[in-house]
Amino acid sequence: MSKRSLNGTDFTAMVLAGAEQLQQHAEHVNSLNVFPVPDGDTGTNMNLTMNAGVAEITKGDSVSIGVMSGILSKGLLMGARGNSGVILSQLFRGFSRYAAPYEELNTLQFAAALQSGVDAAYKAVVKPVEGTILTVAKEAAKHAVYYARRANDIPELMAEVLSKAKEALAMTQEMLPVLKQVGVVDSGGQGLVYIYEGFMQYLSSGTTATGQVGYTAASTTSAPAVSPVAGSVPTLVVAPSYDAPLSAQAKLETEHIEFLYDMEFFINRHLGESNGQPFDEEKFEKALSVNGDSIIVIADEDIVKVHVHSKAPGEVLNLALQYGEITQIRILNMREQHRELLTAGMDVAPAPEWFAEIPAEPARTVEPSELPAHELAPHGFIAVSPGEGISNIFRSMGVDVVLSGGQTMNPSTEDFVNAVRSIAAESIYILPNNSNIILAAEQARELLEDERHVFVIPSKTIPQGIAAAFAFQEEENFGVNLENMAEAVTRVQSGQVTYAVRDTVLDEMEIKAGHYIGIHNSKIVATEEQLIPTCRELLSKMLGSVDEAVLVMMLTGSDSDPAETEELVSWIEQEYPGIDIEVHDGGQPIYSYLFSVES
């Protein structure tokens, strides 16, 4: 059917068709994982992310594409899981930003919205890698912008977009040699192509792939059955409180509040003596950190929002005056507040005005956001764990909230947001403990930057997360702790043992389906038919990669045999005398053992 423009109704139907197409092929997307492990989860993550968007957009009833794309974006943003899900949410977030003022989009505008989505996705990824979903989206949008100059029919343009996306998907093998080596295309790119196929299906016939105009999303709280742990739901598991937030003030010495002045203000670049001096956000934050911490600087065109705890408020204001006129100043003495609370015998502080949004114009009155009722403790922790034993380890180290998750059950952005809001702490550290979870944690941090000071420690494995939590020192400020935890992550060698789900050849290593594989950090280094020989080979590689190993930690999986664990311990003691060995019940599925080696 011919369409010269796209309104909110059509866009919603396209999204439903795209979601259905992706859902039907989620397991195929999972199977494209480069590693032949039983927990490939790209399809699962994209499907659950898309379902979260569908759940929101089906609540809307506007004919405006600006309104409906905004509703979709919100659902995708909060429901995003894994790197692929976060990137997908950013593609539609950028799309919705462009579409926001429009009731309908013509071909030129639709192409521009696709390009806006690509720009947002690339910006969200610190080190974009070509040959992934990013490349597929980029090439498709680039072609759309070119083709839209001579096309005024939306279905015709979408056909070109889909064709170019498929072409770019095929090229991912040439861009990432490992894809060609194992004979697959990029899984995230394939997922996006399925979504575009759904878009095209609706635009060409007015129905979805199954012939229906409507679509019912699968539950966003369950995943397709793709592995022994599929269907697991990331849930909040709140740890027992060792130092309850309500008693935090009584446990804190007043004189230990080092950066005692809590400052909030705006810099209006239109006013004052800025003398056209460009605002260098990184330089400004570095200058604030000399005598301060808990720094938030958000620049929005000509207004800069600043929050800092400082020893020297006068120096902070003088620094800010270089860039414009200071407005809406608030300075609180936190030592004074603390003394008053102790004198009054209070465990709960009266809520101060919270950090307001940047005003759209200087004269606008800003309403404060709601602050949690509890007085904030200095620090709080969130960790992601795939097994109850590992969760108990994190709890014993003082982690406040443990999110159940890992491969195939990545927590969503909303899971992290809810976890942060459940903790009454000023600075909150997130330990993702999986490379595929970091982007969702970062997205949550971005969403909460006006509410809390959230820091994501880039722990990619459980051993790294444990090492980072162990390096934390309660008496230190967040800057020192961030440095210590980041350094601890680099000291740990991580290993994991699971089994292969398909035959493949990777890095000249022939891997047979059903055989065990040992992964050192992010590389398969061992494969054997039996478990113990695989573990020995992996541990030999790990112990040989450090100058002087002093500790080996073993986290046993839910299917581990105690006799085999004892055999492994005896082998380590015999082959590497003098090394300390710790064995803990991890309880993780799929991975028989998780190992860490520290020097």
Side-chain angles (χ1 to χ4, degrees), residues 282-449:
E282 184 176 350
K283 179 181 177 182
F284 185 64
E285 289 179 344
K286 186 175 181 181
L288 290 178
S289 67
V290 173
N291 285 306
D293 73 354
S294 299
I295 299 166
I296 299 178
V297 178
I298 304 174
D300 185 5
E301 297 180 355
D302 294 317
I303 299 292
V304 180
K305 179 172 62 174
V306 181
H307 173 275
V308 61
H309 292 174
S310 178
K311 296 178 181 178
E315 293 181 12
V316 171
L317 296 177
N318 286 334
L319 178 66
L321 283 170
Q322 300 177 40
Y323 299 102
E325 186 173 290
I326 304 174
T327 63
Q328 301 184 41
I329 304 171
R330 182 180 72 83
I331 304 177
L332 298 176
N333 185 322
M334 291 187 290
R335 287 185 185 172
E336 181 180 31
Q337 284 189 310
H338 187 254
R339 292 188 194 101
E340 291 174 354
L341 290 173
L342 295 182
T343 301
M346 295 174 63
D347 281 330
V348 181
E353 292 186 358
W354 202 233
F355 206 25
E357 294 294 326
I358 294 179
E361 54 189 42
R364 186 168 73 91
T365 301
V366 182
E367 294 295 329
S369 301
E370 183 179 354
L371 183 70
H374 306 308
E375 169 63 20
L376 300 183
H379 308 285
F381 265 91
I382 297 167
V384 179
S385 164
E388 185 58 27
I390 294 170
S391 298
N392 289 334
I393 291 173
F394 280 120
R395 293 182 188 119
S396 71
M397 301 176 79
V399 170
D400 300 276
V401 174
V402 178
L403 284 172
S404 177
Q407 291 297 107
T408 74
M409 46 179 177
N410 295 160
S412 68
T413 297
E414 186 172 21
D415 289 326
F416 283 114
V417 169
N418 291 338
V420 168
R421 287 175 172 164
S422 75
I423 301 175
E426 182 176 322
S427 296
I428 297 175
Y429 307 90
I430 298 178
L431 299 169
N433 303 332
N434 186 298
S435 60
N436 203 32
I437 297 176
I438 292 175
L439 273 184
E442 286 285 0
Q443 189 156 272
R445 179 197 59 76
E446 178 186 340
L447 290 171
L448 293 168
E449 62 186 357

Side-chain angles (χ1 to χ4, degrees), residues 148-326:
R149 298 171 188 167
R150 55 179 180 176
N152 57 15
D153 182 57
I154 294 289
E156 178 186 349
L157 177 61
M158 190 65 229
E160 288 290 321
V161 169
L162 176 58
S163 176
K164 193 65 177 182
K166 290 181 176 179
E167 180 184 322
L169 178 64
M171 288 300 296
T172 59
Q173 282 196 347
E174 305 302 322
M175 297 178 184
L176 288 177
V178 68
L179 296 177
K180 189 172 186 178
Q181 185 179 358
V182 299
V184 298
V185 294
D186 177 70
S187 54
Q190 178 66 81
L192 184 63
V193 165
Y194 282 135
I195 293 171
Y196 285 172
E197 284 181 349
F199 285 5
M200 193 65 238
Q201 174 71 26
Y202 171 77
L203 288 173
S204 61
S205 66
T207 63
T208 66
T210 57
Q212 303 297 318
V213 177
Y215 167 75
T216 302
S219 170
T220 58
T221 60
S222 63
V226 296
S227 76
V229 294
S232 300
V233 185
T235 56
L236 278 178
V237 183
V238 182
S241 177
Y242 295 92
D243 292 298
L246 288 177
S247 61
Q249 294 302 313
K251 296 178 181 296
L252 178 67
E253 295 290 339
T254 301
E255 299 309 314
H256 287 175
I257 302 176
E258 182 180 5
F259 303 102
L260 67 160
Y261 296 106
D262 182 359
M263 307 180 64
E264 296 175 359
F265 57 88
F266 294 89
I267 305 173
N268 192 321
R269 302 272 292 138
H270 276 309
L271 305 174
E273 300 298 326
S274 63
N275 298 320
Q277 181 177 345
F279 181 72
D280 188 328
E281 185 172 333
E282 184 176 350
K283 179 181 177 182
F284 185 64
E285 289 179 344
K286 186 175 181 181
L288 290 178
S289 67
V290 173
N291 285 306
D293 73 354
S294 299
I295 299 166
I296 299 178
V297 178
I298 304 174
D300 185 5
E301 297 180 355
D302 294 317
I303 299 292
V304 180
K305 179 172 62 174
V306 181
H307 173 275
V308 61
H309 292 174
S310 178
K311 296 178 181 178
E315 293 181 12
V316 171
L317 296 177
N318 286 334
L319 178 66
L321 283 170
Q322 300 177 40
Y323 299 102
E325 186 173 290
I326 304 174

Side-chain angles (χ1 to χ4, degrees), residues 91 114-115 118 122 132-142 165 168 192 196:
L91 287 172
L114 290 175
Q115 183 60 54
V118 170
Y122 268 85
T132 65
I133 182 176
L134 290 170
T135 301
V136 175
K138 179 181 70 175
E139 293 302 317
K142 180 180 176 182
L192 184 63
Y196 285 172

Side-chain angles (χ1 to χ4, degrees), residues 449-525:
E449 62 186 357
D450 289 350
E451 295 182 27
R452 300 288 182 85
H453 306 150
V454 180
F455 307 96
V456 178
I457 309 301
S459 54
K460 297 180 179 180
T461 65
I462 293 298
Q464 287 182 354
I466 291 174
F470 188 77
F472 176 80
Q473 300 177 52
E474 184 72 31
E475 67 276 7
E476 294 289 357
N477 64 46
F478 79 92
V480 172
N481 274 313
L482 283 177
E483 183 177 342
N484 289 343
M485 287 188 284
E487 196 272 333
V489 165
T490 65
R491 292 199 311 266
V492 178
Q493 301 292 319
S494 301
Q496 46 195 335
V497 177
T498 185
Y499 58 91
V501 294
R502 68 169 185 269
D503 292 348
T504 190
V505 177
L506 189 62
D507 294 330
E508 300 182 353
M509 180 179 294
E510 186 175 353
I511 301 169
K512 296 292 186 181
H515 285 197
Y516 288 94
I517 53 178
I519 305 170
H520 180 199
N521 293 333
S522 59
K523 183 178 181 180
I524 297 177
V525 298

